Amino acid sequence: MKFSITSTLAALALAGGIAGGAVAQEYPYRDITNAVVWGAGGGTDTINRMIMAEMEKHLPVSINVINQTGGVAGSNGLVFAANQPDDGYTLVGLSESNVTAAVQGGWDKKFDYWYPFIVGGSPDLISVPAESPYDSLTDLIEAAKAEPGSVPAAAGGAGSIHHLNLLALEQGSGATFKFVPYSGSAPGQEAAIAGEVALVVTSLAEQAALIEGGQLKPLAMLTADSVEIAGQTVPSAFDSYAGLSEVLPLKQAIGFAVHGSAPDNVKATLAEAFEKAMASETVADWAKANKYDVGGQYGEAAQALFANLESTFAYTLKDLGAAKVMPEDLGIEKP
């Protein structure tokens, strides 16, 4: 009888320990890692460090941000995160530019592999050198129409969101520019300031200091809304060319993601912390100071947004002859 009671008590104690362990290990019970696919100090890195710090306030653990760079369109970071368990302890910091990784041969998955969270992005605009003879978008478009392909334009690299916005501007206005590819936004903006190109398309966040410093003259936002900067109003390009509303805006989508196969409780916990962080004054003040539009989409809403970007980017690269893997072979539908 003594043996039976002892065994029973031991069994109860063991059961209690297991139950207590289950409660103690409710997600998250240890620190989370966020692997940002782009370099330290860039827009994606900066946004991820900011939002992770805010989300930590609503979680019982820390979120450690690291940089896992390299590969094709950030593929090294994507592959690194994909190879980790889908338990929610490894996030990936990413942007809209990563949707081309598959068609460029960086990896073999569509972007719907991820369950994304979008913090936001900065809208694109078209600007010219400060001493440019063009004082309005209409002036610039008419010059490009008069001599198609003669007006050189910088808009990042081929297939970038800035390049796609330039192509959309051409489609919506009927103009044809001479696209000059650069390795990134900064070199393209420097080329415009130096007079190597007649115009540059990059984001407001990237151009803001140059506009405020009088080095670039903004002509139009490639979104439906105007913007106030440096004591002037930058009008929407839609005001002059209504047809642009059919092809624009194509906007940045910067944030992070967890495996799409992660447990529902993991997604729900991250979503709750994300919503609280996005509602904070810290995020609002940061976005205003850095010329970013706040997003806040996650899950299916964010997946739908990324799917549209993936489709548009993939088939644009195919048309440019820059796709190593055909988008239809990946199951990416044509826009």
Side-chain angles (χ1 to χ4, degrees):
M1 187 66 176
K2 180 184 292 186
F3 177 80
S4 178
I5 292 174
T6 302
S7 299
T8 300
L9 290 174
L12 289 172
L14 179 60
I18 293 174
V23 171
Q25 295 194 6
E26 181 179 353
Y27 178 83
Y29 65 87
R30 58 183 173 83
D31 288 353
I32 298 168
T33 297
N34 180 358
V36 177
V37 305
W38 303 116
T44 303
D45 177 74
T46 302
I47 285 182
N48 270 272
R49 292 182 188 278
M50 181 275 296
I51 198 65
M52 293 299 116
E54 283 303 300
M55 288 176 62
E56 277 185 348
K57 298 175 182 179
H58 309 289
L59 295 169
V61 299
S62 297
I63 305 177
N64 303 313
V65 180
I66 64 173
N67 297 92
Q68 196 74 26
T69 63
V72 178
S75 60
N76 281 3
L78 297 176
V79 171
F80 169 81
N83 285 339
Q84 307 306 310
D86 61 353
D87 54 9
Y89 288 98
T90 301
L91 310 177
V92 58
L94 42 69
S95 73
E96 79 293 328
S97 295
N98 299 122
V99 300
T100 65
V103 293
Q104 293 190 75
W107 76 334
D108 59 355
K109 298 175 178 62
K110 285 178 60 180
F111 210 79
D112 61 7
Y113 178 87
W114 304 107
Y115 185 90
F117 297 76
I118 299 174
V119 179
S122 185
D124 268 10
L125 74 162
I126 182 168
S127 293
V128 295
E131 303 302 319
S132 170
Y134 307 121
D135 292 320
S136 70
L137 179 61
T138 303
D139 292 342
L140 179 64
I141 295 298
E142 291 307 311
K145 285 182 176 181
E147 296 184 61
S150 66
V151 180
S160 70
I161 191 166
H162 309 309
H163 183 210
L164 292 181
N165 272 319
L166 177 65
L167 293 174
L169 177 65
E170 290 181 327
Q171 183 178 346
S173 67
T176 301
F177 296 99
K178 179 183 178 181
F179 171 59
V180 181
Y182 287 88
S183 60
S185 295
Q189 291 170 172
E190 292 169 1
I193 293 170
E196 295 175 12
V197 294
L199 64 107
V200 60
V201 175
T202 50
S203 73
L204 180 61
E206 292 165 319
Q207 290 192 30
L210 301 175
I211 294 171
E212 290 167 345
Q215 294 176 288
L216 287 177
K217 178 168 56 175
L219 297 186
M221 300 299 303
L222 299 183
T223 60
D225 299 318
S226 61
V227 165
E228 299 291 329
I229 184 171
Q232 58 186 307
T233 299
V234 184
S236 167
F238 295 16
D239 295 346
S240 301
Y241 300 94
L244 289 171
S245 63
E246 298 178 8
V247 289
L248 289 172
L250 291 172
K251 299 178 70 175
Q252 289 181 320
I254 303 175
F256 64 95
V258 66
H259 286 239
S261 57
D264 289 342
N265 69 302
V266 168
K267 294 173 181 175
T269 299
L270 291 172
E272 182 178 3
F274 178 68
E275 287 185 342
K276 290 178 179 178
M278 290 298 292
S280 69
E281 289 185 7
T282 299
V283 171
D285 291 344
W286 183 91
K288 182 178 180 180
N290 291 279
K291 314 299 182 185
Y292 276 91
D293 291 335
V294 173
Q297 306 93 331
Y298 63 87
E300 291 183 2
Q303 285 174 327
L305 192 153
F306 272 116
N308 179 59
L309 290 170
E310 180 178 47
S311 176
T312 303
F313 279 42
Y315 281 90
T316 298
L317 286 174
K318 178 184 176 181
D319 293 343
L320 292 171
K324 293 185 177 180
V325 180
M326 294 300 101
E328 50 265 46
D329 293 340
L330 293 163
I332 299 173
E333 296 182 2
K334 191 172 183 178

